[in-house]
Amino acid sequence: MALISEIADLLQQSKHAVVFTGAGMSTASGIPDYRSKTGLWRKKDPSKLASIEAMETNRDEFIQFYKERLQLYKSKSPNEGHYLLAKWEKEGKIQSIITQNIDGFHLLAGSKNVIELHGTLQTFHCHNCGQRFLNDVYLKNQYYCGCGGFIRPSITLFGELLSEDAFRDAELECEKADIMIVLGSSLTVRPANEIPFLAKRMGAVLVIVNQEQTDFDEWADFVFHNDIIQFLNELNNRLNR
């Protein structure tokens, strides 16, 4: 595919390539996405299960929801795409990954410079004192810290602001980026969806790879409505020629 050859050339010439990933990055690992026609939020109301309000007023269902998510994540593993990105980082082809995902699979696959905008389900912490816990606490039916505070996933819940540190780090990556490749994000969740647009506005070439159309397609320099793993494999083949 000629367009993928162009992306490969841009990566080879790039001084600071950044990858931005969404839920579609992990569907090949067996993790459902959120907003496609079969996505999780088509079946469940996030405000009742995954929000700060749910944590405070609907705690039993909140615990059960994240216990099930944790069981799912522990039964899955990084896919070929995660490992390819880690390989490219090691080879100096990409410099960082900014992800909306909370599965932690980029780090598990070996990527080092990962900004987890929405936090990670790999760790939990006390909502009161901040003490950290291993992510199997819910599976051990441990929900409260020694201080009496509630133990929660270390993620950004609906109704909470993103980590200022994570968002600032992402903005700094946008300033340095000369190419940003978006993989598997619907680009509908604010303010995370501002990141690719910011990179584009600051001069980066913007590539969007997603099975469905996004509202940002018109702003992108390249758009692929392809399977992500297929796209990454084809791009990898051209990078290795």
Side-chain angles (χ1 to χ4, degrees):
M1 189 182 293
L3 287 178
I4 292 186
S5 292
E6 288 187 54
I7 306 301
D9 290 342
L10 287 168
L11 273 181
Q12 298 283 26
Q13 298 161 16
S14 168
K15 291 182 172 59
H16 201 91
V18 180
V19 174
F20 181 97
T21 66
M25 183 72 214
S26 292
T27 53
S29 293
I31 306 294
D33 65 16
Y34 294 97
R35 290 177 173 80
S36 71
K37 294 176 182 178
T38 58
L40 184 63
W41 298 146
R42 299 276 182 170
K43 307 168 190 173
K44 299 178 183 290
D45 184 347
S47 67
K48 295 180 180 178
L49 298 170
S51 65
I52 189 71
E53 182 180 359
M55 186 182 77
E56 298 291 355
T57 64
N58 193 25
R59 190 157 287 179
D60 288 346
E61 288 191 54
F62 178 92
I63 288 171
Q64 185 58 36
F65 176 71
Y66 281 107
K67 183 182 285 189
E68 290 173 359
R69 299 301 292 168
L70 190 58
Q71 288 171 328
L72 173 65
Y73 288 1
K74 282 184 171 291
S75 71
K76 307 299 181 182
S77 57
N79 60 56
E80 186 178 1
H82 293 108
Y83 287 109
L84 272 178
L85 293 179
K87 169 179 172 285
W88 292 351
E89 183 189 50
K90 188 175 181 179
E91 294 170 349
K93 292 183 174 72
I94 65 173
Q95 278 60 56
S96 67
I97 295 171
I98 303 169
T99 186
Q100 296 173 280
N101 296 339
I102 61 171
D103 50 42
F105 285 176
H106 285 301
L107 289 167
L108 290 174
S111 292
K112 304 297 183 186
N113 191 12
V114 180
I115 300 169
E116 295 174 312
L117 285 176
H118 294 152
T120 177
L121 209 61
Q122 294 293 327
T123 60
F124 281 54
H125 69 273
C126 173
H127 191 62
N128 183 35
C129 72
Q131 181 179 340
R132 290 186 171 274
F133 294 86
L134 297 176
N135 73 343
D136 60 355
V137 284
Y138 277 19
L139 303 183
K140 295 179 178 179
N141 300 319
Q142 181 182 352
Y143 312 120
Y144 292 91
C145 176
C147 76
F150 181 63
I151 299 173
R152 53 163 291 178
S154 296
I155 61 174
T156 302
L157 301 172
F158 284 86
E160 288 186 310
L161 297 175
L162 289 186
S163 159
E164 289 184 12
D165 289 344
F167 198 79
R168 185 180 63 251
D169 289 345
E171 287 180 317
L172 291 173
E173 287 301 301
C174 289
E175 291 177 8
K176 294 183 284 186
D178 48 24
I179 180 170
M180 176 172 283
I181 302 176
V182 178
L183 299 173
S185 176
S186 62
L187 296 176
T188 57
V189 178
R190 297 187 61 198
N193 67 349
E194 297 172 10
I195 295 298
F197 187 69
L198 177 61
K200 169 68 176 176
R201 205 170 67 209
M202 300 189 81
V205 173
L206 180 59
V207 182
I208 294 178
V209 186
N210 197 55
Q211 291 275 32
E212 300 176 359
Q213 291 184 339
T214 80
D215 291 340
F216 284 72
D217 285 2
E218 63 181 298
W219 300 102
D221 298 282
F222 298 88
V223 177
F224 299 86
H225 293 141
N226 290 38
D227 176 81
I228 291 171
I229 304 301
Q230 179 184 348
F231 171 86
L232 291 174
N233 273 314
E234 289 182 11
L235 183 53
N236 188 59
N237 288 338
R238 281 160 175 76
L239 286 170
N240 290 324
R241 284 181 180 176

